[in-house]
Amino acid sequence: MTRSYDAVIIGGGHNGLVSAFYLARAGLKVRILERRSIVGGAAVTEEFHPGFRNSVASYTVSLLNPKVIDDMKLVDQGYRVIERPISNFLPQDAADPAKGYLKLGGGLERTQAEFRKFSNADAEALPAYYDALENVADVLRDLSLKSPPNVGEGLKTLADAARQGRKLAGMGVEKQRDVLDLFTKSARSFLDGWFDSEAVKAAFGFDAVVGNYASPDTPGSAYVLLHHVFGEVNGKKGAWGHAVGGMGAITQAMARVVTGMGVEISLEAPVSRVLVSNGRAVGVKLESGEEVMGDAILANVGPRLLYDRLVDQSDLPQDFARRIKTFKAGSGTFRMNVALSGLPNFACLPTVDPKGDEHHRSGIILAPTLDYMDRAFLDAKQFGWSKAPIVEMLIPSVIDDSLAPPSQHVASLFCQQFAPELPDGRSWDDERQAAADCIIDTVEAYAPGFRASVIATQIHSPLDLERKFGLIGGDIMHGNMSLDQLWSARPMLGHGSYRGPIKGLYMCGAGTHPGGGVTGAPGHNAAHELLADRSFWGKLRGRG
């Protein structure tokens, strides 16, 4: 059986849903093909133990673009985000609770007061640091909904580069130095230029290793730090929050919007192959044998999955086929959800309110120094996972009682560093439980009694993330966020404008600009490029 559409989208994650919205709004007939039984990709909420629900993979909100939220009218669909009262809480020493903790956020003056526990100089440096970061973050926000200049298009490339670089060129030389630092330096090198205290540097440096299989000493890791601060929540720049109902509430709202516009969503419809005829993508073949034809094919999957598994190598230009195999993917992420009989009680800051204190409503970071983060990476490189892993814990049930039974809780454990592929031929199927036990032990060291409170766990090793969500190497970013894989070079120079090397094939996932996170920006941009190609001028240029 064969059916034809204006656009066929492979993958029902949030970027695919966003693309579908803009295409349907322009009058196109769109069908989304999702291989799982639920729409949403990695942004889904599921029950993992009777009575306990949580965001399964993606777990917190900041980067979702305000234009996408407004255009899709997600608030009318129940979209609601509760901000964290403070950003993060960092216990300082599991072995010596007397060394205290650091709280980040809650306003400039409050954060400065926290910093003074460790360094007066760092407290005084904080306003200038925030200004420097915000100036560069504003450049990223400005670029996030613009297609990068596509190398190889002659005068258009130069014109696009000049137009998009205008804001950067207008900065003073001091701010341009900040841009250069953030795009090229390691997180440690960048932070060493601002702060003295190891606790303070860890508070900011954690963002540099989120979804980044690297050390804070790795050149370019400062950019990953920056990537995690260019979002906003409820109009507050740099803020993070919890989506009521979990991350699946966002994608379910998106799905309601697009189906109301006539978009067809097919679940349990895994794609086996992109169909190419005379050098043009003309449809896809499902594992069931069904063929779905389309004037355009949009891939909301990572570049490695698309070009290694869904496209016949003979359909790719030789140089592209060679280079895409070197596209780096694998974020070093291990993801757990935990059902708890009660709240964790941290030795350095004992629980006061049994319903949850301020720090229970924040990001709880178990990684007290940059050296700790560096050792975690080196352990993973040598042994497969860190003996003392980096753990971020969120407890969304403190503010969202729909996720757990009364007086009980769910916790998200986002963990680094875990090798995408274990050394010595070992398999994550054999070692996932041992790694999960190591993570629980790490939390137990800071919050005695945590292990005894665990009712059930949901475990996702890097291999589990690949199998379940199609994230090659468990890469939550769809590909490393390194300088050679950013902007016009994401996923490859000459294909940074969401167009694949095969005519009619587009990329709308996080393996394109501006990269990982629940942003909706790649989906927005890819849809607009497709619509431009269908226009009179697009057809005149031979793109339509």
Side-chain angles (χ1 to χ4, degrees), residues 105-179:
L108 174 62
E109 292 182 359
R110 183 172 176 191
T111 303
Q112 285 180 297
E114 282 286 310
F115 281 17
R116 287 191 180 96
K117 297 190 305 187
F118 300 92
S119 166
N120 283 322
D122 288 358
E124 296 305 313
L126 185 60
Y129 174 82
Y130 278 160
D131 285 346
L133 223 59
E134 183 57 29
N135 286 330
V136 185
D138 262 346
V139 174
L140 292 187
R141 293 187 188 104
D142 186 58
L143 294 177
S144 65
L145 291 184
K146 293 182 172 68
S147 296
N150 203 43
V151 173
E153 296 185 355
L155 290 176
K156 185 178 185 302
T157 301
L158 295 175
D160 289 346
R163 185 168 55 253
Q164 294 190 26
R166 191 176 300 137
K167 189 167 186 176
L168 179 62
M171 288 180 163
V173 67
E174 295 87 355
K175 293 178 181 178
Q176 291 188 28
R177 289 170 182 156
D178 290 333
V179 173

Side-chain angles (χ1 to χ4, degrees), residues 42 52 133 148 155 157 160 221 234 256 260 262 272 277 312 316 368 381 420 441 468 471-472 485 509 518 525:
F52 294 87
L133 223 59
L155 290 176
T157 301
D160 289 346
S221 56
N234 301 331
R256 289 193 296 273
S272 64
S277 177
D312 194 298
L316 295 173
K381 292 283 286 184
D441 288 343
K468 189 168 187 176
L471 302 173
I472 299 300
Q485 295 186 176
V518 179
N525 297 351

Side-chain angles (χ1 to χ4, degrees), residues 9-143:
I9 300 176
I10 305 171
H14 80 281
N15 276 310
L17 293 164
V18 171
S19 279
F21 166 78
Y22 288 105
L23 296 176
R25 191 174 71 170
L28 274 62
K29 183 180 179 183
V30 182
R31 183 173 175 185
I32 297 173
L33 302 169
E34 168 56 46
R35 69 184 184 88
R36 298 190 68 217
S37 61
I38 183 173
V39 74
V44 291
T45 304
E46 296 178 1
E47 184 176 72
F48 65 95
H49 188 72
F52 294 87
R53 302 165 56 245
N54 203 15
S55 303
V56 178
S58 173
Y59 62 103
T60 188
V61 184
S62 174
L63 302 178
L64 186 59
N65 193 277
K67 183 178 186 296
V68 171
I69 296 170
D70 291 343
D71 286 351
M72 297 188 76
K73 295 181 171 55
L74 295 182
V75 173
D76 294 346
Q77 294 291 331
Y79 173 80
R80 182 180 170 218
V81 177
I82 299 175
E83 300 161 40
R84 301 179 189 178
I86 58 173
S87 302
N88 292 324
F89 161 67
L90 291 86
Q92 283 306 292
D93 194 328
D96 186 1
K99 290 186 178 178
Y101 56 85
L102 185 147
K103 290 182 178 180
L104 182 68
L108 174 62
E109 292 182 359
R110 183 172 176 191
T111 303
Q112 285 180 297
E114 282 286 310
F115 281 17
R116 287 191 180 96
K117 297 190 305 187
F118 300 92
S119 166
N120 283 322
D122 288 358
E124 296 305 313
L126 185 60
Y129 174 82
Y130 278 160
D131 285 346
L133 223 59
E134 183 57 29
N135 286 330
V136 185
D138 262 346
V139 174
L140 292 187
R141 293 187 188 104
D142 186 58
L143 294 177

Side-chain angles (χ1 to χ4, degrees), residues 164-290:
Q164 294 190 26
R166 191 176 300 137
K167 189 167 186 176
L168 179 62
M171 288 180 163
V173 67
E174 295 87 355
K175 293 178 181 178
Q176 291 188 28
R177 289 170 182 156
D178 290 333
V179 173
L180 181 64
D181 286 350
L182 281 159
F183 273 80
T184 60
K185 285 186 174 181
S186 71
R188 189 193 298 268
S189 178
F190 177 71
L191 292 168
D192 279 348
W194 286 96
F195 303 113
D196 298 326
S197 165
E198 292 303 315
V200 169
K201 285 185 277 189
F204 293 120
F206 167 73
D207 281 338
V209 299
V210 172
N212 188 19
Y213 187 49
S215 164
D217 294 324
T218 302
S221 56
Y223 172 77
V224 183
L225 179 160
L226 175 66
H227 183 80
H228 285 94
V229 302
F230 80 81
E232 61 181 76
V233 168
N234 301 331
K236 296 181 180 179
K237 292 180 178 180
W240 288 81
H242 168 72
V244 175
M247 298 300 288
I250 299 174
T251 49
Q252 289 299 313
M254 289 179 170
R256 289 193 296 273
V257 170
V258 300
T259 54
M261 301 170 74
V263 173
E264 295 181 38
I265 299 178
S266 299
L267 302 178
E268 298 182 321
V271 171
S272 64
R273 183 69 60 191
V274 174
L275 301 175
V276 178
S277 177
N278 297 319
R280 182 181 182 91
V282 295
V284 299
K285 184 174 184 178
L286 306 186
E287 290 183 5
S288 66
E290 178 186 356

Side-chain angles (χ1 to χ4, degrees), residues 8 126 149 180 196 266 274 291 300 309-310 335 415 452 489 525 542:
V8 176
L126 185 60
L180 181 64
D196 298 326
S266 299
V274 174
E291 292 184 352
N300 184 31
R309 303 183 187 181
L310 301 184
R335 181 73 175 83
C415 313
N525 297 351

